[in-house]
Amino acid sequence: MYICICNAIRESDLRRKARHVSGDAEACYAALGKQPNCGQCLVEADAIIEEERELGFVSAAA
């Protein structure tokens, strides 16, 4: 599924970057060589990044 239509950023790409990049959605976008255009995706992108990081902490602790 696409999270950012303007930049064609897929959820899987964003989740992968969230594991390696600290910061918010804009930091992950920058790591992908992109920047937000319209900004409508940022709230959802930040939620996905937070979820991915929480899952990583749970997996590492298990």
Side-chain angles (χ1 to χ4, degrees):
M1 173 171 80
Y2 283 96
I3 297 304
C4 176
I5 301 301
C6 297
N7 287 301
I9 297 174
R10 293 184 179 102
E11 181 177 350
S12 59
D13 298 330
L14 187 61
R15 287 185 182 278
R16 205 168 14 261
K17 282 297 171 194
R19 294 182 211 131
H20 304 286
V21 174
S22 62
D24 60 3
E26 291 185 55
C28 288
Y29 283 25
L32 289 165
K34 312 284 184 176
Q35 64 181 14
N37 288 328
C38 73
Q40 290 187 322
C41 59
L42 293 177
V43 171
E44 184 177 358
D46 279 330
I48 289 169
I49 291 166
E50 184 177 329
E51 178 184 296
E52 188 62 30
R53 290 177 181 159
E54 286 176 1
L55 289 172
F57 289 128
V58 170
S59 296

